[in-house]
Amino acid sequence: MVAILQAAVRSGTPILFVCIGEIYAERSGILNVGLEGLMLVGAIAGFTAGYSAGNPVVGVFAAAVAGALFSLIHAYVTITLRADQIVSGLTLTILGTGISGFFGKPMIGQVGPGFDQVAIPGLSKIPILGQVLFQQDAMVYLSFVLVPIAWWVMYKTHLGLAIRSVGENPATADSLGVSVAKVRYGCVLFGGAMAGLGGAYLSLAYTTMWIEQMSGGRGWITLALVIFAAWNPGRAMLGAYLFGGADALQLRIQAVGLDIPTYFLMMLPYVLTIAILVLASRASLRRRIGAPAALGLPYAREER
Amino acid sequence: MAMRLELRLERSRKLEVLVPIISVLLSLVVVALLLLSTGTNPLTAYGAMLKEAFGTSYGFTEVLVKATPLILCGLGVMLAFKMLFWNIGAEGQLHMGAWGATAVVMTGWDGSPWLMIPAMMLGGFTAGALWALIPAYLKVKLNTNEIITTLLLNYVAILWVAHFIYGPWKDPVSFGFPMTKQFPDGAQLLRFGDTRVHLGFLFALVIAVALYFLQEKSRWGFEIAVTGSNPRAAEYAGMNAGRNVLLVMLISGGLAGLAGMVEVSGIQLKLLKDISPHAAPYGYTAIIIAWLARRNPWGVVLVSILMGGLYVGGETVQITMKLPVNIVLIIQALILFFVLGGDILSRYRLVFDRKEALGGG
């Protein structure tokens, strides 16, 4: 049981990174459905850099930078050119899949450096919780730090207020002197960097290799997670481990060799995500659960 | 000097035609730079791709082979897009269609093609349509985001097919390869001459014509267009948007299912894992096609044939020049990005200001 919970945290961590970033982008009003492509770009950039330097930390930085740079395309197309956010995001996924496959070809079959699990002295001795939360790798600990910061910035700072107001009502934010474009660019780039980190987790911690299309739908699962989390970084953490749990459970049942066909088990994370999404949609039908009002809409001053 | 966008009073027709052409050229330039970075001469690569796809008669028949599932999926996706329903699930619907058609064969029935082929088409269409109705129903009843549900159902459909070809339907003498037995003759689509072009290509063309009339000439086509462009007006006019979403997705998923059927019955002749190319799946390419075709059935046919050329050319340079086949995806995505960026010019006019816009600008 403890082993499954520990695996749930590991499995949930990559989508947690991506989710935090996407919450920021969506809070500022920009939907980015290109997460799958961003994760792949982060995974290959992180793996290549980590492999070349022989150091996974270098890989993590490279992945964040690559993710941010790659998301710049989406930012430019949707914010400056005001093109359709959904089409741009889908195209970003297709481009990311292609680019990562192109540059990843020489890396297939290589084993790179990775993050090992490190027990935190003291904390890891707490019964159950210690093993689940504090015998993990460095990137999991990084996510423990990032989530509260992301929550605090969003709800307790002036910057967070600006981001939320841009996503709720860009015209008002604009008239109050907030630069809508700047805030949105910043949030989309941050989202890209976080998606890059999520990808790097896959190629530097979850495994230590590059596998084509290794994100395996996690980018899309994250989009559902954002809705489940009601655009709140704190709730994202809970949700991520729930989604991670489905993945961990599926692998565990397979290992035990129960009489359930393998491929049905592998459907579990996807089906569970749809089920959770349906429940979240029902809840939001009853009471609105905080989707930013201007989400998905381009902003143009003269059309105000 | 600042740059500003000003709304045009009328969309520029000239630009609507020019933008896609320029986009193709620009994306080829970017990919050329990418190829140069890996030490490949881009002109040699492009030359080889073009010659193989459109310069030889064998190559061109292969282009039509690839275009067949693309047209069917592309038409389906286009119809859904017209109603602003984001069906990103053509890939899964295609897999379910291939499964549904195979299910007919797996009953052990070995009849005349005059009965078997229609039965398989019905099986493929129904399976794809039912798969598409799940997200449509969830959207209509609960307002569930269809981008996420259609997409996740792709993964489920692929695993569903995997379950059958690794399990109950696996050919015992396939030496461990995950695939069904070869279909009997009656379950194989007629091929033209000694090419691999099959009857499915004609089906696709006929459906394109039918959709054109449905879209342009029927009352229902009008309802779809109104609901897609102005949902509120449609509501006031008493159109039932929910019912239309279900009907549109029934056809949309059914067409993708039919694409799966013609692939297994016309090309693969059995159900196996790679119904759709792994590096650039048909169902995802269909999204790009529907968008590039400006949601027009003729456009879908034309763009699908061009994309078919990209596949055939891409396979050629993969084999002869050892280039990663992902180059197909990169070219596809770049074209679409340039079109997205260029479209702004047909809607807006670029204005250069001497200074930052003052005040309310």
Side-chain angles (χ1 to χ4, degrees), chain A residues 81 91 102 217 220 263 302-303, chain B residues 5 34 151 155 166 344 348:
Chain A
L81 299 180
T91 316
F102 187 85
W220 304 103
Y263 292 99
E302 64 268 28
E303 290 164 25
Chain B
L5 295 168
L34 239 137
L151 201 294
Y155 290 92
Y166 279 98
I344 195 87
Y348 295 88

Side-chain angles (χ1 to χ4, degrees), chain B residues 71-136:
Chain B
I71 295 172
L72 287 167
C73 290
L75 289 171
V77 172
M78 175 204 74
L79 197 64
F81 280 9
K82 260 203 118 72
M83 254 200 104
L84 291 186
F85 187 97
W86 296 97
N87 179 15
I88 318 298
E91 184 67 9
Q93 291 143 19
L94 176 142
H95 274 79
M96 291 313 279
W99 178 86
T102 307
V104 173
V105 181
M106 285 299 145
T107 57
W109 175 34
D110 183 7
S112 120
W114 292 103
L115 287 172
M116 268 200 104
I117 296 293
M120 288 170 72
M121 288 173 75
L122 189 68
F125 187 93
T126 310
L130 288 177
W131 204 241
L133 281 177
I134 302 171

Side-chain angles (χ1 to χ4, degrees), chain A residues 11-121:
Chain A
S11 231
T13 298
I15 56 178
L16 178 57
F17 279 119
V18 189
C19 188
I20 297 297
E22 179 65 9
I23 286 174
Y24 268 74
E26 291 193 17
R27 278 283 189 182
S28 80
I30 302 290
L31 177 68
N32 187 352
V33 297
L35 300 176
E36 192 78 11
L38 284 162
M39 282 184 85
L40 286 170
V41 166
I44 188 58
F47 184 81
T48 309
Y51 180 83
S52 316
N55 183 344
V57 178
V58 176
V60 168
F61 278 104
V65 171
L69 283 178
F70 201 60
S71 69
L72 190 60
I73 304 175
H74 186 65
Y76 181 74
V77 170
T78 61
I79 302 168
T80 304
L81 299 180
R82 299 174 210 157
D84 191 290
Q85 296 179 11
I86 294 171
V87 183
S88 169
L90 287 173
T91 316
L92 200 67
T93 284
I94 294 167
L95 187 61
T97 310
I99 293 265
S100 64
F102 187 85
F103 287 108
K105 206 176 177 211
M107 288 296 163
I108 292 173
Q110 309 285 355
V111 176
F115 290 100
D116 297 323
Q117 269 144 321
V118 183
I120 294 187

Side-chain angles (χ1 to χ4, degrees), chain B residues 30 35 45 55 75 113 127 129 145 147 152 162 165 192 209 232 237 248 293 318 327 346 348 361:
Chain B
V30 174
L35 289 175
L75 289 171
N145 183 319
I147 302 175
L152 289 175
I165 55 179
F192 298 110
V209 175
R232 196 163 287 174
V248 159
Q318 186 198 9
I327 202 163
S346 64
Y348 295 88

